[in-house]
Amino acid sequence: STGAVKMQPKAEELKFVTKNDGYVHIHPSSVNYQTRHFDSPYLVYHEKIKTSRVFIRDCSMVSVYPLVLLGGGQVHMQLQKGEFVISLDDGWIRFVAASHQVAELVKELRCELDQLLQDKIKNPSMDLCMCPRGSRIISMIVKLVTTQ
C-alpha cells in the first residue's frame, strides 16, 4: 500500500517548551541528545544554557504522576468544559483527570505527601516506613507510580 510514514524528529529538531524561555533543545553533550522519542512530553533538567539557542542538559523524562506528586507549587483542580483538570505552576502545566474521583485522590495524596515531608523535616529521626501513616502514603505512591 502507499502512504507516508511519520518519521521521528532528528535530534537537533526535537524541542520542548519552558515557561520562561519558550522553546529549548537538548544539548548535544547530553546523554539524551540522540533520544528521538519520549513516552512522556515532560522533562526535568538540571542545567539550562544559552549559546546559539537555549539548551538543557542533565535531563530526564518524567511521567505525569511523579510530576504532580513531586513537582513544585500548589496543585489545583477545576472543572473545565466537562473535564476535571489538575494544574501545577499557576496553570502552566495541566492534566485532564480520568474522573473527579481520580483528580481528588491525586490532589489529596499530594497534600498528604507534602505534610509527611514537613513532619520529616521537623523530626529528622522519624522513620517514614515504620510510621503507619508514612508507610501507607509511601506504599500508595509507589503503587500509583509503578502501575500507571
Side-chain angles (χ1 to χ4, degrees), residues 1 29 40 42 53 56 59-60 91 94 99 104 111 138:
S1 104
S29 68
S40 172
Y42 304 102
R53 53 187 173 178
I56 55 174
C59 60
S60 295
R94 301 160 41 101
S99 69
E104 283 292 340
C111 290
I138 292 169

Side-chain angles (χ1 to χ4, degrees), residues 12 16 19 29 32 36 39 41 43 71-72 87 90 100 104 112 115 122-123 140 142:
E12 62 273 5
F16 295 87
K19 184 177 180 180
S29 68
N32 282 325
R36 294 169 48 169
D39 291 333
L43 294 181
S87 64
D90 297 324
H100 180 260
E104 283 292 340
E112 288 292 328
Q115 185 58 54
K122 290 177 188 169
N123 182 6
M140 182 57 66
V142 168

Side-chain angles (χ1 to χ4, degrees), residues 21 48-55:
D21 296 297
K48 181 171 53 174
I49 59 170
K50 184 173 183 178
T51 55
S52 58
R53 53 187 173 178
V54 180
F55 290 99

Side-chain angles (χ1 to χ4, degrees), residues 15 20 33 39 51 55 75 82 101 110 123 135 137 140 142 146:
K15 56 189 172 186
N20 297 325
Y33 180 68
D39 291 333
T51 55
F55 290 99
V75 175
Q101 291 170 319
R110 168 64 186 264
N123 182 6
S135 65
I137 293 168
M140 182 57 66
V142 168
T146 57

Side-chain angles (χ1 to χ4, degrees), residues 68-146:
V68 171
L69 294 172
L70 301 169
Q74 294 293 317
V75 175
H76 299 283
M77 186 195 66
Q78 56 191 8
L79 179 63
Q80 292 182 347
K81 299 180 183 175
E83 295 181 316
F84 293 96
V85 177
I86 300 170
S87 64
L88 299 169
D89 199 15
D90 297 324
W92 200 87
I93 300 173
R94 301 160 41 101
F95 311 99
V96 176
S99 69
H100 180 260
Q101 291 170 319
V102 170
E104 283 292 340
L105 287 171
V106 169
K107 184 178 177 183
E108 281 302 312
L109 188 56
R110 168 64 186 264
C111 290
E112 288 292 328
L113 177 61
D114 287 349
Q115 185 58 54
L116 185 64
L117 293 174
Q118 287 296 324
D119 294 346
K120 178 66 175 173
I121 290 168
K122 290 177 188 169
N123 182 6
S125 63
M126 181 172 83
D127 186 346
L128 296 178
C129 294
M130 299 307 284
C131 160
R133 181 173 161 265
S135 65
R136 282 193 312 268
I137 293 168
I138 292 169
S139 295
M140 182 57 66
I141 290 170
V142 168
K143 186 175 181 179
L144 181 67
V145 170
T146 57

Side-chain angles (χ1 to χ4, degrees), residues 14-33:
L14 189 63
K15 56 189 172 186
F16 295 87
V17 180
T18 65
K19 184 177 180 180
N20 297 325
D21 296 297
Y23 288 111
V24 297
H25 302 266
I26 298 175
H27 195 274
S29 68
S30 174
V31 295
N32 282 325
Y33 180 68

